[in-house]
């Protein structure tokens, strides 16, 4: 009888997610975090960092399509894009489906995440060698600060970070959002993953308030991500001008995202709208 091995993410002190593992394919202690790749029975290959699910082969498309296509269609003409985090390559793959994008920077602090992507997740990392992708294995906070001093401004910044613990904490704060603001051109749009509305509502309030201190327009949108805590995820979008209601209805070969799903994703249930107004941020 095959041994019954389970991966368990302790999502909060009171909630776990369990996935049956057929085989652990790779584990290492990188300079920044513990990285594991496993073959799971239900979701195909799984990538975890410090015990937290980052992506699985079977449900990655919900997250990668929704974090990429929303800001890229809200911006009127995105040519220069940057991803902070996202070493697996999933966001870069989606960005490069937009023909008007000339360069997509990938700014990943941990080169080992990219190596794991290339080796174990060919469908995610497929575009990392695309000549329009520029890879920078450096600290995103510092990289973004330097971008603010450059003349060539970015159009869209996407923060595909881990949870706000350890090195990623700074990616959820006002100081970082200010350097994103300074690195963006006049129509600039920022999107960051902001965790689960069910399990981390305070984190959403904090991130939204920090964005609001820097950007004139801030929105929240939602999507399912089955293997993330509570299965329901939030993204915060901050803009210097462009508004989600005027997003371009482009056609893309996607599996979850469509222009109609995008419009619906900004419609907030009353309890979340209330949560945002309590934090002094409009819903
Ligand atoms: N980045 C967001 C992962 C957050 C998941 N949190 C958790 N499981 N506790 C994903 C990177 C994919 N490119």
């Amino acid at each position: 009888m095959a041994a019954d091995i389970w991966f368990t993410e302790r999502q909060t002190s009171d909630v776990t997610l369990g996935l049956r593992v057929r085989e652990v394919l790779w584990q290492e202690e990188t300079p920044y975090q513990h990285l594991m790749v496993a073959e799971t029975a239900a979701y195909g290959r799984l990538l975890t960092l410090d015990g937290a699910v980052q992506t699985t082969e079977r449900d990655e498309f919900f997250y990668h399509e929704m974090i990429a296509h929303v800001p890229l269609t809200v911006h009127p003409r995105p040519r220069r894009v940057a991803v902070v985090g996202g070493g697996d390559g999933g966001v870069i793959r989606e960005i490069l489906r937009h023909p008007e994008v000339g360069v997509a920077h990938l700014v990943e602090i941990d080169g080992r995440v990219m190596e794991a992507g290339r080796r174990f997740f060919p469908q995610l990392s497929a575009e990392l060698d695309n000549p329009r992708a520029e890879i920078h294995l450096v600290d995103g906070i510092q990289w973004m600060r330097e971008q603010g001093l450059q003349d060539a401004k970015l159009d869209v910044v996407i923060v595909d970070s881990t949870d706000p613990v350890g090195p990623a904490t700074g990616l959820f704060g006002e100081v970082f959002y200010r350097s994103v603001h300074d690195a963006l051109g006049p129509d600039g749009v920022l999107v960051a993953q902001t965790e689960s509305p069910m399990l981390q509502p305070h984190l959403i309030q904090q991130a939204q308030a920090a964005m609001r201190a820097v950007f004139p327009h801030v929105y929240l949108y939602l999507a399912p991500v089955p293997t993330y805590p509570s299965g329901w995820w939030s993204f915060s979008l901050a803009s210097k001008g462009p508004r989600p209601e005027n997003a371009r209805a482009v056609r893309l070969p996607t599996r979850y995202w469509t222009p109609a799903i995008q419009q619906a994703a900004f419609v907030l249930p009353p309890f979340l709208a209330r949560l945002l107004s309590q934090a002094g941020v409009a819903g």
Side-chain angles (χ1 to χ4, degrees):
M1 196 186 87
D4 210 21
I5 307 170
W6 288 78
F7 162 79
T8 304
E9 175 175 341
R10 199 175 152 134
Q11 299 178 329
T12 73
S13 49
D14 307 309
V15 184
T16 69
L17 169 78
L19 297 173
R20 198 159 69 73
V21 167
R22 291 200 203 283
E23 194 185 349
V24 175
L25 299 171
W26 186 254
Q27 287 210 68
E28 73 176 284
E29 216 49 67
T30 80
Y32 299 94
Q33 50 210 341
H34 180 82
L35 182 160
M36 183 193 74
V37 179
E39 187 72 42
T40 70
Y43 282 96
R45 289 201 176 160
L46 160 73
L47 172 69
T48 72
L49 294 174
D50 285 341
V53 172
Q54 297 304 306
T55 202
T56 79
E57 227 168 5
R58 286 203 50 219
D59 76 344
E60 56 88 6
F61 64 96
F62 292 90
Y63 178 87
H64 291 127
E65 291 179 6
M66 288 301 280
I67 203 171
H69 301 314
V70 174
L72 286 168
T73 56
V74 169
H75 193 285
R77 196 172 166 224
R79 280 166 296 173
R80 299 167 47 82
V81 180
V83 182
V84 177
D88 53 75
V91 182
I92 291 287
R93 178 196 67 197
E94 293 305 317
I95 291 170
L96 293 179
R97 293 191 201 283
H98 295 256
E100 64 273 36
V101 172
V103 58
H105 297 281
L106 177 67
V107 189
E108 167 63 60
I109 198 170
D110 191 345
R112 300 302 300 163
V113 174
M114 207 179 73
E115 283 315 307
R118 287 186 191 276
R119 179 155 168 217
F120 296 105
F121 297 87
Q123 106 221 26
L124 290 176
S125 56
E127 301 301 324
L128 288 175
D129 294 322
N130 188 309
R132 293 191 288 149
E134 270 187 34
I135 293 160
H136 314 266
L137 297 178
V138 297
D139 178 358
I141 293 180
Q142 205 176 320
W143 187 86
M144 199 55 71
R145 212 181 292 132
E146 289 157 13
Q147 291 311 295
L149 309 170
Q150 312 284 315
D151 289 335
K153 296 296 182 194
L154 298 167
D155 298 308
V156 171
V157 169
I158 297 174
V159 186
D160 179 16
S161 70
T162 49
D163 298 338
V165 283
T169 312
L171 296 174
F172 291 78
E174 193 180 318
V175 172
F176 173 67
Y177 295 146
R178 198 165 292 282
S179 54
V180 173
H181 179 276
D182 295 347
L184 285 167
D187 284 327
V189 177
L190 157 70
V191 162
Q193 74 88 359
T194 42
E195 308 284 310
S196 165
M198 190 67 232
L199 296 173
Q200 289 105 350
H202 300 298
L203 184 277
I204 296 177
Q205 284 179 320
Q206 277 169 28
Q208 291 257 317
M211 284 184 181
R212 177 130 323 219
V214 177
F215 287 89
H217 310 293
V218 178
Y219 303 85
L220 190 73
Y221 67 92
L222 306 165
V225 185
T227 59
Y228 285 177
S230 86
W232 191 41
W233 214 243
S234 79
F235 303 86
S236 291
L237 183 146
S239 155
K240 288 193 177 180
R243 292 172 174 277
E245 29 317 359
N246 302 324
R248 295 174 299 120
V250 302
R251 274 177 164 278
L252 293 166
T254 52
R255 289 189 283 166
Y256 182 76
W257 177 90
T258 67
I261 289 215
Q262 172 166 334
Q263 291 304 326
F266 284 89
V267 179
L268 301 181
F271 89 92
L272 267 185
R274 239 182 335 260
L275 187 96
L276 295 188
S277 58
Q278 277 162 12
V281 295

